[in-house]
């Protein structure tokens, strides 16, 4: 279990290899803002193609992820619940809907459950905390990406409901390292993290509505920091694990 205090600018980003932060933002927006399963939209709007492996044959991933969010009105229900009953204990989005899986679908959700709580700070500020439950994590490939994504989701939802993003907790239940990634894992263990860069997640101040955010509104590293990571700890190949 990992917990990050976003009020202290703590970040789940690692610097042992380049992380596709902008593409990961695009994937997140595709699921929760576009609420889509359309692979062409994902590629054309966000330049993300890694979901193509789960094309069910019609350039979509079928009845899962963004389609589940849309079908069950999940995001709108979450926002309404936090705004109208902030002290409620039932604020969550669950992507694991077994009835949806009876329809054609691609990959079943890995990061499938988020639970949200409002915390009234002693400083008089209302903080929004969130815990992500992940059933399965291909850790060396996407463990960092998933954490960064959902820290960003917490920040966007907090902005929408007029609260401060607080504690983000990531709880993976099954963490795996594929044998095809062992050499890459050993190489990463030999590397040194880069401490002289700012890995704080930032949102564009002017964007206040969840629907307004674009992949350009969320920043993790500037161009200089990205190049520094690429130079000191270059990218490694990660064959797809299913």
């Amino acid at each position: 279990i990992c917990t990050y205090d976003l009020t202290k600018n703590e970040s789940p980003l690692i610097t042992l290899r380049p992380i596709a932060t902008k593409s990961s933002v695009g994937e997140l927006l595709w699921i929760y803002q576009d609420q889509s399963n359309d692979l062409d939209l994902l590629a054309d709007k966000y330049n993300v193609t890694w979901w193509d492996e789960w094309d069910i044959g019609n350039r979509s991933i079928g009845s899962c992820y963004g389609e589940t969010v849309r079908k069950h009105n999940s995001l709108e229900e979450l926002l309404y619940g936090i705004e109208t009953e902030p002290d409620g204990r039932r604020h969550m989005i669950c992507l694991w809907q077994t009835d949806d899986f009876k329809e054609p679908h691609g990959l079943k959700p890995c990061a499938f459950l988020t639970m949200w709580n409002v915390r009234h700070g002693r400083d008089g500020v209302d903080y929004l905390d969130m815990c992500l439950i992940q059933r399965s994590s291909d850790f060396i490939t996407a463990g960092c990406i998933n954490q960064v994504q959902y820290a960003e989701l917490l920040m966007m939802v907090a902005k929408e409901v007029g609260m401060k993003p607080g504690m983000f907790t990531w709880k993976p239940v099954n963490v795996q390292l594929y044998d095809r990634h062992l050499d890459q894992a050993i190489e990463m263990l030999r590397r040194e993290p880069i401490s002289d860069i700012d890995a704080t997640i930032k949102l564009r101040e002017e964007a206040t509505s969840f629907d307004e955010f674009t992949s350009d509104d969320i920043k993790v590293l500037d161009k200089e920091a990205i190049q520094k990571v690429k130079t000191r700890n270059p990218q490694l190949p990660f064959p797809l694990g299913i």
Side-chain angles (χ1 to χ4, degrees):
I1 298 176
C2 301
T3 297
Y4 306 90
D5 188 345
L6 301 185
T7 68
K8 298 178 179 178
N9 294 326
E10 293 180 356
S11 170
L13 186 73
I14 63 170
T15 57
L16 299 177
R17 71 176 182 89
I19 301 296
T21 53
K22 186 168 183 179
S23 297
S24 70
V25 173
E27 180 187 58
L28 185 77
L29 293 175
W30 178 61
I31 295 170
Y32 289 98
Q33 186 188 80
D34 299 312
Q35 301 179 15
S36 175
N37 60 9
D38 187 332
L39 292 169
D40 289 331
L41 173 65
L42 180 63
D44 295 343
K45 188 173 181 179
Y46 303 111
N47 197 33
V48 173
T49 58
W50 58 56
W51 276 95
D52 287 358
E53 292 288 337
W54 290 281
D55 183 353
I56 63 172
N58 60 356
R59 292 301 295 156
S60 87
I61 59 169
S63 185
C64 55
Y65 282 96
E67 173 63 15
T68 297
V69 175
R70 183 202 63 78
K71 182 177 180 180
H72 298 279
N73 205 30
S74 304
L75 182 70
E76 289 74 13
E77 291 287 344
L78 173 73
L79 296 175
Y80 178 79
I82 294 173
E83 289 176 328
T84 59
E85 192 181 355
D87 295 328
R89 295 166 292 167
R90 302 182 181 94
H91 304 313
M92 60 186 68
I93 291 180
C94 183
L95 301 183
W96 196 270
Q97 301 291 336
T98 54
D99 283 347
D100 292 352
F101 301 152
K102 295 174 184 178
E103 303 174 23
H105 62 279
L107 179 67
K108 287 182 172 64
C110 297
F112 79 97
L113 178 64
T114 55
M115 298 181 291
W116 308 72
N117 287 284
V118 175
R119 173 167 45 90
H120 306 296
R122 294 183 179 180
D123 54 2
V125 176
D126 289 339
Y127 295 95
L128 184 62
D129 299 334
M130 185 261 276
C131 177
L132 166 66
I133 308 296
Q134 188 159 342
R135 69 166 179 88
S136 176
S137 174
D138 178 0
F139 185 75
I140 197 169
T141 304
C144 173
I145 289 175
N146 292 146
Q147 292 179 75
V148 170
Q149 284 178 314
Y150 279 83
E152 293 164 343
L153 180 63
L154 170 55
M155 296 176 74
M156 287 188 285
V157 170
K159 196 75 175 288
E160 168 78 22
V161 298
M163 297 179 186
K164 294 289 186 182
M167 308 295 288
F168 166 62
T169 299
W170 180 60
K171 184 175 181 179
V173 177
N174 188 311
V175 177
Q176 63 272 173
L177 172 64
Y178 291 99
D179 54 6
R180 73 202 75 175
H181 299 159
L182 283 176
D183 290 342
Q184 294 90 322
I186 292 169
E187 170 59 26
M188 287 176 66
L189 287 172
R190 290 173 176 156
R191 293 178 172 184
E192 292 293 330
I194 302 172
S195 58
D196 58 339
I197 61 174
D198 180 11
T200 304
I201 302 172
K202 302 180 179 71
L203 302 185
R204 184 170 64 89
E205 288 295 328
E206 292 77 11
T208 57
S209 169
F210 191 90
D211 291 335
E212 290 180 13
F213 286 108
T214 71
S215 55
D216 292 324
D217 292 329
I218 305 165
K219 301 291 185 183
V220 183
L221 298 178
D222 59 27
K223 291 182 179 179
E224 182 179 345
I226 292 172
Q227 188 56 48
K228 190 176 290 187
V229 175
K230 288 180 178 179
T231 301
R232 295 193 196 175
N233 291 324
Q235 189 57 276
L236 298 164
F238 291 94
L240 183 68
I242 300 177

